[in-house]
mmCIF file of all heavy atoms in Angstrom:
data_model
loop_
_atom_site.group_PDB
_atom_site.id
_atom_site.type_symbol
_atom_site.label_atom_id
_atom_site.label_comp_id
_atom_site.label_asym_id
_atom_site.label_seq_id
_atom_site.Cartn_x
_atom_site.Cartn_y
_atom_site.Cartn_z
ATOM 1 N N SER A 1140 19.438 -1.048 32.072
ATOM 2 C CA SER A 1140 20.781 -1.140 32.667
ATOM 3 C C SER A 1140 20.913 -0.215 33.872
ATOM 4 O O SER A 1140 21.949 -0.204 34.543
ATOM 5 C CB SER A 1140 21.873 -0.899 31.636
ATOM 6 O OG SER A 1140 21.599 0.238 30.888
ATOM 7 N N GLY A 1141 19.870 0.558 34.161
ATOM 8 C CA GLY A 1141 19.848 1.294 35.418
ATOM 9 C C GLY A 1141 19.954 0.344 36.602
ATOM 10 O O GLY A 1141 20.440 0.713 37.672
ATOM 11 N N PHE A 1142 19.529 -0.895 36.376
ATOM 12 C CA PHE A 1142 19.647 -1.911 37.426
ATOM 13 C C PHE A 1142 21.110 -2.104 37.817
ATOM 14 O O PHE A 1142 21.448 -2.126 39.011
ATOM 15 C CB PHE A 1142 19.048 -3.235 36.930
ATOM 16 C CG PHE A 1142 18.957 -4.282 37.996
ATOM 17 C CD1 PHE A 1142 17.929 -4.273 38.928
ATOM 18 C CD2 PHE A 1142 19.914 -5.279 38.082
ATOM 19 C CE1 PHE A 1142 17.854 -5.239 39.921
ATOM 20 C CE2 PHE A 1142 19.853 -6.252 39.070
ATOM 21 C CZ PHE A 1142 18.822 -6.226 39.996
ATOM 22 N N ALA A 1143 21.966 -2.220 36.802
ATOM 23 C CA ALA A 1143 23.409 -2.373 37.064
ATOM 24 C C ALA A 1143 23.935 -1.162 37.822
ATOM 25 O O ALA A 1143 24.757 -1.290 38.733
ATOM 26 C CB ALA A 1143 24.174 -2.560 35.761
ATOM 27 N N PHE A 1144 23.432 0.031 37.466
ATOM 28 C CA PHE A 1144 23.890 1.217 38.192
ATOM 29 C C PHE A 1144 23.445 1.186 39.643
ATOM 30 O O PHE A 1144 24.224 1.469 40.553
ATOM 31 C CB PHE A 1144 23.420 2.516 37.526
ATOM 32 C CG PHE A 1144 23.763 3.706 38.371
ATOM 33 C CD1 PHE A 1144 25.079 4.132 38.480
ATOM 34 C CD2 PHE A 1144 22.791 4.347 39.129
ATOM 35 C CE1 PHE A 1144 25.420 5.182 39.317
ATOM 36 C CE2 PHE A 1144 23.129 5.395 39.974
ATOM 37 C CZ PHE A 1144 24.437 5.814 40.059
ATOM 38 N N GLY A 1145 22.162 0.836 39.864
ATOM 39 C CA GLY A 1145 21.640 0.792 41.237
ATOM 40 C C GLY A 1145 22.450 -0.150 42.109
ATOM 41 O O GLY A 1145 22.823 0.189 43.245
ATOM 42 N N VAL A 1146 22.742 -1.328 41.558
ATOM 43 C CA VAL A 1146 23.516 -2.324 42.314
ATOM 44 C C VAL A 1146 24.935 -1.813 42.577
ATOM 45 O O VAL A 1146 25.443 -1.899 43.703
ATOM 46 C CB VAL A 1146 23.554 -3.661 41.533
ATOM 47 C CG1 VAL A 1146 24.532 -4.615 42.190
ATOM 48 C CG2 VAL A 1146 22.173 -4.285 41.481
ATOM 49 N N THR A 1147 25.558 -1.266 41.526
ATOM 50 C CA THR A 1147 26.926 -0.764 41.663
ATOM 51 C C THR A 1147 26.992 0.360 42.684
ATOM 52 O O THR A 1147 27.884 0.406 43.533
ATOM 53 C CB THR A 1147 27.430 -0.232 40.306
ATOM 54 O OG1 THR A 1147 27.296 -1.265 39.334
ATOM 55 C CG2 THR A 1147 28.886 0.190 40.392
ATOM 56 N N SER A 1148 26.017 1.271 42.589
ATOM 57 C CA SER A 1148 25.986 2.426 43.476
ATOM 58 C C SER A 1148 25.825 1.986 44.933
ATOM 59 O O SER A 1148 26.569 2.417 45.822
ATOM 60 C CB SER A 1148 24.847 3.349 43.044
ATOM 61 O OG SER A 1148 24.767 4.458 43.890
ATOM 62 N N ALA A 1149 24.857 1.095 45.175
ATOM 63 C CA ALA A 1149 24.645 0.606 46.540
ATOM 64 C C ALA A 1149 25.857 -0.189 47.014
ATOM 65 O O ALA A 1149 26.284 -0.065 48.168
ATOM 66 C CB ALA A 1149 23.388 -0.261 46.588
ATOM 67 N N GLY A 1150 26.443 -0.972 46.090
ATOM 68 C CA GLY A 1150 27.635 -1.737 46.430
ATOM 69 C C GLY A 1150 28.826 -0.850 46.748
ATOM 70 O O GLY A 1150 29.747 -1.248 47.463
ATOM 71 N N SER A 1151 28.823 0.373 46.197
ATOM 72 C CA SER A 1151 29.911 1.320 46.454
ATOM 73 C C SER A 1151 29.712 2.066 47.768
ATOM 74 O O SER A 1151 30.504 2.944 48.105
ATOM 75 C CB SER A 1151 30.015 2.338 45.314
ATOM 76 O OG SER A 1151 30.213 1.685 44.090
ATOM 77 N N GLY A 1152 28.615 1.777 48.461
ATOM 78 C CA GLY A 1152 28.397 2.358 49.777
ATOM 79 C C GLY A 1152 27.447 3.550 49.786
ATOM 80 O O GLY A 1152 27.254 4.188 50.815
ATOM 81 N N LEU A 1153 26.821 3.876 48.640
ATOM 82 C CA LEU A 1153 25.852 4.969 48.628
ATOM 83 C C LEU A 1153 24.518 4.470 49.162
ATOM 84 O O LEU A 1153 24.154 3.306 48.972
ATOM 85 C CB LEU A 1153 25.678 5.528 47.211
ATOM 86 C CG LEU A 1153 26.681 6.612 46.804
ATOM 87 C CD1 LEU A 1153 28.025 5.978 46.482
ATOM 88 C CD2 LEU A 1153 26.185 7.407 45.614
ATOM 89 N N SER A 1154 23.781 5.370 49.799
ATOM 90 C CA SER A 1154 22.473 5.000 50.339
ATOM 91 C C SER A 1154 21.463 4.907 49.203
ATOM 92 O O SER A 1154 21.728 5.344 48.077
ATOM 93 C CB SER A 1154 22.012 6.036 51.356
ATOM 94 O OG SER A 1154 21.684 7.239 50.694
ATOM 95 N N LEU A 1155 20.299 4.339 49.514
ATOM 96 C CA LEU A 1155 19.222 4.224 48.526
ATOM 97 C C LEU A 1155 18.854 5.604 47.979
ATOM 98 O O LEU A 1155 18.734 5.800 46.766
ATOM 99 C CB LEU A 1155 18.008 3.567 49.192
ATOM 100 C CG LEU A 1155 16.817 3.263 48.295
ATOM 101 C CD1 LEU A 1155 17.175 2.177 47.302
ATOM 102 C CD2 LEU A 1155 15.603 2.848 49.105
ATOM 103 N N LEU A 1156 18.713 6.563 48.891
ATOM 104 C CA LEU A 1156 18.331 7.920 48.493
ATOM 105 C C LEU A 1156 19.389 8.546 47.592
ATOM 106 O O LEU A 1156 19.079 9.205 46.589
ATOM 107 C CB LEU A 1156 18.124 8.768 49.760
ATOM 108 C CG LEU A 1156 17.392 10.097 49.558
ATOM 109 C CD1 LEU A 1156 16.002 9.867 48.978
ATOM 110 C CD2 LEU A 1156 17.305 10.858 50.874
ATOM 111 N N GLN A 1157 20.671 8.323 47.933
ATOM 112 C CA GLN A 1157 21.765 8.895 47.135
ATOM 113 C C GLN A 1157 21.805 8.284 45.737
ATOM 114 O O GLN A 1157 21.990 8.999 44.746
ATOM 115 C CB GLN A 1157 23.100 8.680 47.856
ATOM 116 C CG GLN A 1157 23.250 9.576 49.080
ATOM 117 C CD GLN A 1157 24.414 9.188 49.957
ATOM 118 O OE1 GLN A 1157 24.864 8.035 49.962
ATOM 119 N NE2 GLN A 1157 24.915 10.141 50.724
ATOM 120 N N SER A 1158 21.622 6.969 45.660
ATOM 121 C CA SER A 1158 21.627 6.301 44.354
ATOM 122 C C SER A 1158 20.498 6.835 43.480
ATOM 123 O O SER A 1158 20.702 7.140 42.299
ATOM 124 C CB SER A 1158 21.462 4.788 44.525
ATOM 125 O OG SER A 1158 22.482 4.268 45.344
ATOM 126 N N CYS A 1159 19.311 6.963 44.066
ATOM 127 C CA CYS A 1159 18.158 7.442 43.303
ATOM 128 C C CYS A 1159 18.315 8.918 42.927
ATOM 129 O O CYS A 1159 17.935 9.326 41.826
ATOM 130 C CB CYS A 1159 16.866 7.227 44.083
ATOM 131 S SG CYS A 1159 16.427 5.485 44.212
ATOM 132 N N ALA A 1160 18.891 9.708 43.828
ATOM 133 C CA ALA A 1160 19.108 11.126 43.528
ATOM 134 C C ALA A 1160 20.022 11.266 42.309
ATOM 135 O O ALA A 1160 19.796 12.116 41.446
ATOM 136 C CB ALA A 1160 19.714 11.839 44.735
ATOM 137 N N LEU A 1161 21.037 10.415 42.223
ATOM 138 C CA LEU A 1161 21.951 10.481 41.079
ATOM 139 C C LEU A 1161 21.215 10.222 39.769
ATOM 140 O O LEU A 1161 21.405 10.938 38.787
ATOM 141 C CB LEU A 1161 23.088 9.471 41.251
ATOM 142 C CG LEU A 1161 24.276 9.946 42.089
ATOM 143 C CD1 LEU A 1161 25.261 8.801 42.300
ATOM 144 C CD2 LEU A 1161 24.968 11.105 41.394
ATOM 145 N N SER A 1162 20.380 9.185 39.748
ATOM 146 C CA SER A 1162 19.680 8.866 38.503
ATOM 147 C C SER A 1162 18.641 9.929 38.158
ATOM 148 O O SER A 1162 18.438 10.245 36.992
ATOM 149 C CB SER A 1162 19.013 7.485 38.601
ATOM 150 O OG SER A 1162 19.987 6.480 38.401
ATOM 151 N N LEU A 1163 17.991 10.503 39.167
ATOM 152 C CA LEU A 1163 16.981 11.530 38.919
ATOM 153 C C LEU A 1163 17.609 12.841 38.462
ATOM 154 O O LEU A 1163 17.117 13.488 37.547
ATOM 155 C CB LEU A 1163 16.160 11.786 40.197
ATOM 156 C CG LEU A 1163 15.111 10.725 40.547
ATOM 157 C CD1 LEU A 1163 14.652 10.906 41.983
ATOM 158 C CD2 LEU A 1163 13.921 10.817 39.595
ATOM 159 N N LEU A 1164 18.711 13.229 39.127
ATOM 160 C CA LEU A 1164 19.253 14.573 38.908
ATOM 161 C C LEU A 1164 20.395 14.611 37.894
ATOM 162 O O LEU A 1164 20.530 15.572 37.146
ATOM 163 C CB LEU A 1164 19.740 15.162 40.240
ATOM 164 C CG LEU A 1164 18.681 15.281 41.337
ATOM 165 C CD1 LEU A 1164 19.300 15.777 42.632
ATOM 166 C CD2 LEU A 1164 17.557 16.208 40.888
ATOM 167 N N VAL A 1165 21.253 13.589 37.895
ATOM 168 C CA VAL A 1165 22.397 13.605 36.967
ATOM 169 C C VAL A 1165 21.960 13.019 35.628
ATOM 170 O O VAL A 1165 22.192 13.620 34.571
ATOM 171 C CB VAL A 1165 23.600 12.839 37.554
ATOM 172 C CG1 VAL A 1165 24.740 12.798 36.546
ATOM 173 C CG2 VAL A 1165 24.075 13.507 38.842
ATOM 174 N N PHE A 1166 21.336 11.867 35.646
ATOM 175 C CA PHE A 1166 20.793 11.225 34.449
ATOM 176 C C PHE A 1166 21.736 11.278 33.252
ATOM 177 O O PHE A 1166 21.406 11.777 32.199
ATOM 178 C CB PHE A 1166 19.432 11.837 34.071
ATOM 179 C CG PHE A 1166 18.723 11.068 32.999
ATOM 180 C CD1 PHE A 1166 18.452 9.715 33.149
ATOM 181 C CD2 PHE A 1166 18.344 11.676 31.807
ATOM 182 C CE1 PHE A 1166 17.804 9.000 32.144
ATOM 183 C CE2 PHE A 1166 17.696 10.968 30.801
ATOM 184 C CZ PHE A 1166 17.429 9.628 30.972
ATOM 185 N N THR A 1167 22.964 10.796 33.444
ATOM 186 C CA THR A 1167 23.852 10.536 32.318
ATOM 187 C C THR A 1167 24.776 9.420 32.809
ATOM 188 O O THR A 1167 25.617 9.622 33.672
ATOM 189 C CB THR A 1167 24.553 11.815 31.785
ATOM 190 O OG1 THR A 1167 25.486 11.474 30.788
ATOM 191 C CG2 THR A 1167 25.210 12.635 32.860
ATOM 192 N N GLY A 1168 24.519 8.218 32.304
ATOM 193 C CA GLY A 1168 25.032 6.986 32.892
ATOM 194 C C GLY A 1168 26.513 6.962 33.194
ATOM 195 O O GLY A 1168 26.918 6.634 34.311
ATOM 196 N N ALA A 1169 27.326 7.309 32.200
ATOM 197 C CA ALA A 1169 28.773 7.208 32.394
ATOM 198 C C ALA A 1169 29.230 8.082 33.562
ATOM 199 O O ALA A 1169 30.060 7.670 34.374
ATOM 200 C CB ALA A 1169 29.498 7.611 31.114
ATOM 201 N N SER A 1170 28.661 9.291 33.665
ATOM 202 C CA SER A 1170 29.029 10.194 34.763
ATOM 203 C C SER A 1170 28.655 9.582 36.107
ATOM 204 O O SER A 1170 29.393 9.698 37.083
ATOM 205 C CB SER A 1170 28.330 11.546 34.613
ATOM 206 O OG SER A 1170 28.776 12.213 33.464
ATOM 207 N N GLN A 1171 27.485 8.930 36.137
ATOM 208 C CA GLN A 1171 27.028 8.327 37.396
ATOM 209 C C GLN A 1171 27.942 7.179 37.830
ATOM 210 O O GLN A 1171 28.341 7.089 38.983
ATOM 211 C CB GLN A 1171 25.598 7.802 37.233
ATOM 212 C CG GLN A 1171 24.577 8.906 37.033
ATOM 213 C CD GLN A 1171 23.183 8.361 36.829
ATOM 214 O OE1 GLN A 1171 22.489 8.759 35.926
ATOM 215 N NE2 GLN A 1171 22.756 7.425 37.660
#
Side-chain angles (χ1 to χ4, degrees):
Chain A
S1140 48
F1142 188 80
F1144 173 72
V1146 171
T1147 305
S1148 179
S1151 303
L1153 274 76
S1154 70
L1155 185 68
L1156 195 59
Q1157 288 168 335
S1158 302
C1159 290
L1161 275 174
S1162 281
L1163 284 165
L1164 301 176
V1165 177
F1166 190 56
T1167 174
S1170 295
Q1171 293 178 228

